[in-house]
Amino acid sequence: MALQSLPSSRMAPLAILLGLLMAACFTFCLSHQNPKEFALTNPEKSSTKETERKETKAEEELDAEVLEVFYPTHEWQALRPGQAVPAGSHVRLNLQTGEREAKLQSEDKFRNNLKGKRLDINTNTYTSQDLKSALAKFKEGAEMESSKEDKARQAEVKRLFRPIEELKKDFDELNVVIETDMQIMVRLINKFNSSSSSLEEKIAALFDLEYYVHQMDNAQDLLSFGGLQVVINGLNSTEPLVKEYAAFVLGAAFSSNPKVQVEAIEGGALQKLLVILATEQPLTAKKKVLFALCSLLRHFPYAQRQFLKLGGLQVLRSLVQEKGTEVLAVRVVTLLYDLVTEKMFAEEEAELTQETSPEKLQQYRQVHLLPGLREQGWCEITARLLALPEHDAREKVLQTLGVLLATCRDHYRQDPRLSGTLASLQVEYQALASLELQDGEDEGYFRELLGSVNSLLKELR
């Protein structure tokens, strides 16, 4: 009744106020009814944070509580989660079961690792802080051990070896100079080339120089300061000993060293070596000169071609026909065998690689060695050398006869002396091969020689 008595002008504000109150109450009720549906948050992030808080709380509780102690033995045992492992235990991960396992280390190793530092444990359990402290002490002990070992090793090295500075100082006091190989070779060449040096000093210089030029790098260094040409010029000396030892040095320097071989050809070494072999010289000098010639010609087709042009086969023929030169004759036959087989191997290599005109093969094709051997009578010379008494010499001659068979077949078939020699050798080596078989040698030396003789006889029938 009172409201009806109020004038209409006052009723309007009251109605608005009442509407606002009702809207506020409705909104409040809805917001408290299901907060998850209206919250402006990420449910996944909230759950992750909650899990992290739980794990952190669990770790704090684990640090504060007393851990269960694992008692290792000398056998592997599985570790349960949360168990504390005593310091010095051996721990591993079993790849088959996926579990961690632990056991005691050997007593000596355990004592060395601890280095006298033990934990005072009066109870059967200890906290994680104790474990951390023990681990820190364990690492400290290991570092100290490593440091002591390094110091001991350094002390041992200092005891056994001395610094190079101290050695140089001591050598200076003793007037001893440390020289490189290059410096030594320069000094030896200067001594050999000096007009004031005696014959003995020159020979001693060449003898020492031969030791150094065996190394390929040293032989090439000999070129850099002109030492090789000095030695080549030594072949012109009137002293046979100088020629002998100069050839000795050259043979060592030429061996399997293409760069030095090329320089030697350009320096006139081939002509000088052939002159010595063609003239009257001591046998010892000719041995060294022949050694140098073989080293220069092997694996060097250009030098082989020059050798044929200069009449090298005639020089060697005269050399082997001299009396008392049987040793040189075997070496010459060995050289001819090597030169013939080199060219054969070059042909076979070209066929295997299917190269029509490799440079190496073209060089060997310019070396007409086999026709020259036939023209110079080497078919007959090699056949006569088969009568030498030494088995080693016969072996080399048989090898050479085999590679010359295609060129000298007609001559060998018409040579009754060769047939008789081969028949005699067949009987001799059959007896020797039988003795080898009795001794249990199925593939003996004389059996191989017998095979070579039989092969030649078969080809010449």
Side-chain angles (χ1 to χ4, degrees):
M1 298 293 184
L3 294 173
Q4 294 177 355
S5 61
L6 292 174
S8 59
S9 60
R10 298 185 62 182
M11 288 291 290
L14 290 175
I16 294 173
L17 179 61
L18 181 60
L20 291 173
L21 289 174
M22 291 176 66
C25 291
F26 179 75
T27 303
F28 178 78
C29 293
L30 290 177
S31 62
H32 284 76
Q33 183 178 0
N34 191 357
K36 293 184 180 179
E37 297 180 358
F38 298 94
L40 300 176
T41 58
N42 191 334
E44 295 181 357
K45 293 184 178 179
S46 299
S47 61
T48 302
K49 292 181 179 179
E50 183 177 356
T51 303
E52 292 177 353
R53 286 196 298 270
K54 290 180 180 180
E55 291 177 353
T56 304
K57 184 176 181 181
E59 291 177 358
E60 293 175 355
E61 293 176 355
L62 183 62
D63 289 341
E65 68 179 356
V66 175
L67 301 178
E68 179 184 358
V69 178
F70 173 79
Y71 294 97
T73 63
H74 291 286
E75 302 294 334
W76 289 108
Q77 300 181 68
L79 286 172
R80 294 195 302 272
Q83 280 189 312
V85 183
S89 299
H90 190 178
V91 181
R92 73 175 185 183
L93 177 62
N94 192 322
L95 298 179
Q96 296 180 350
T97 62
E99 296 181 344
R100 291 194 308 151
E101 298 177 348
K103 72 172 185 177
L104 288 173
Q105 294 190 30
S106 61
E107 185 177 355
D108 295 339
K109 187 174 180 180
F110 181 71
R111 289 178 178 175
N112 291 335
N113 288 338
L114 290 181
K115 298 301 291 182
K117 297 186 177 182
R118 303 175 63 92
L119 290 175
D120 296 328
I121 303 176
N122 296 324
T123 63
N124 292 331
T125 60
Y126 51 92
T127 65
S128 61
Q129 189 62 34
D130 294 331
L131 287 175
K132 294 178 181 178
S133 177
L135 181 60
K137 293 180 180 180
F138 179 78
K139 291 181 178 179
E140 181 182 353
E143 292 175 357
M144 293 177 61
E145 174 68 15
S146 177
S147 177
K148 289 182 179 179
E149 290 179 356
D150 292 341
K151 291 181 179 179
R153 184 165 55 254
Q154 292 176 3
E156 181 67 13
V157 171
K158 290 182 179 180
R159 186 183 68 82
L160 295 175
F161 305 98
R162 299 173 59 189
I164 187 64
E165 290 76 12
E166 294 184 8
L167 293 175
K168 288 183 178 180
K169 183 178 180 181
D170 292 345
F171 285 143
D172 289 341
E173 294 176 355
L174 296 173
N175 292 326
V176 177
V177 180
I178 301 177
E179 295 178 305
T180 63
D181 288 356
M182 180 74 164
Q183 293 172 334
I184 293 174
M185 290 192 298
V186 170
R187 177 171 54 81
L188 292 174
I189 287 294
N190 290 335
K191 180 183 291 187
F192 169 71
N193 202 31
S194 175
S195 58
S196 61
S197 297
S198 64
L199 177 61
E200 290 76 11
E201 290 176 337
K202 291 183 177 182
I203 300 303
L206 291 173
F207 183 81
D208 293 340
L209 184 62
E210 187 271 341
Y211 169 79
Y212 289 98
V213 297
H214 270 291
Q215 298 184 24
M216 180 177 293
D217 293 339
N218 286 343
Q220 294 179 3
D221 289 339
L222 194 65
L223 303 175
S224 62
F225 61 91
L228 182 69
Q229 190 60 48
V230 172
V231 179
I232 291 175
N233 294 337
L235 296 174
N236 295 327
S237 174
T238 57
E239 293 289 342
L241 279 178
V242 174
K243 294 179 180 179
E244 176 182 346
Y245 281 91
F248 191 36
V249 174
L250 294 175
F254 297 159
S255 182
S256 301
N257 203 329
K259 185 176 181 180
V260 179
Q261 289 175 321
V262 171
E263 294 292 334
I265 288 293
E266 294 179 355
L270 180 59
Q271 295 90 327
K272 292 178 173 59
L273 293 173
L274 291 176
V275 168
I276 296 175
L277 291 176
T279 56
E280 188 71 24
Q281 300 291 338
L283 182 62
T284 55
K286 288 192 174 184
K287 285 183 179 179
K288 295 294 191 300
V289 171
L290 184 59
F291 162 66
L293 178 65
C294 294
S295 299
L296 180 60
L297 296 181
R298 284 191 174 99
H299 306 290
F300 192 11
Y302 176 77
Q304 296 173 19
R305 189 175 57 175
Q306 297 300 315
F307 167 76
L308 295 177
K309 289 181 178 180
L310 294 172
L313 289 178
Q314 295 93 316
V315 173
L316 295 182
R317 183 185 61 185
S318 301
L319 181 65
V320 299
Q321 290 177 342
E322 294 178 7
K323 293 183 179 181
T325 60
E326 290 79 7
V327 176
L328 298 181
V330 174
R331 297 183 182 184
V332 169
V333 168
T334 304
L335 171 63
L336 297 178
Y337 170 80
D338 291 341
L339 298 183
V340 173
T341 53
E342 272 183 30
K343 187 174 181 179
M344 294 171 55
F345 291 151
E347 296 278 358
E348 293 176 359
E349 183 180 358
E351 292 180 2
L352 292 175
T353 57
Q354 296 181 351
E355 294 185 12
T356 56
S357 58
E359 181 179 358
K360 183 178 180 181
L361 179 59
Q362 291 299 323
Q363 293 179 1
Y364 274 112
R365 285 176 176 172
Q366 296 175 10
V367 180
H368 305 293
L369 179 61
L370 289 174
L373 291 173
R374 184 181 178 88
E375 292 174 3
Q376 297 296 327
W378 281 96
C379 297
E380 181 181 359
I381 294 172
T382 52
R384 291 181 180 179
L385 291 175
L386 195 59
L388 291 172
E390 295 84 6
H391 297 299
D392 180 67
R394 293 174 180 174
E395 178 188 11
K396 292 179 172 58
V397 174
L398 286 171
Q399 290 176 345
T400 307
L401 289 173
V403 298
L404 295 179
L405 188 60
T407 303
C408 303
R409 187 186 301 272
D410 295 339
H411 179 85
Y412 291 162
R413 285 177 175 175
Q414 298 172 4
D415 189 352
R417 184 175 179 180
L418 174 61
S419 300
T421 304
L422 288 174
S424 175
L425 291 178
Q426 185 181 38
V427 174
E428 179 181 355
Y429 288 134
Q430 281 177 345
L432 293 174
S434 299
L435 294 177
E436 286 181 333
L437 288 175
Q438 294 177 6
D439 295 336
E441 298 182 20
D442 296 336
E443 300 293 336
Y445 175 68
F446 295 112
R447 187 176 180 83
E448 292 181 1
L449 291 180
L450 178 61
S452 299
V453 172
N454 291 336
S455 178
L456 279 174
L457 287 172
K458 182 179 179 180
E459 291 290 338
L460 295 178
R461 287 174 185 171

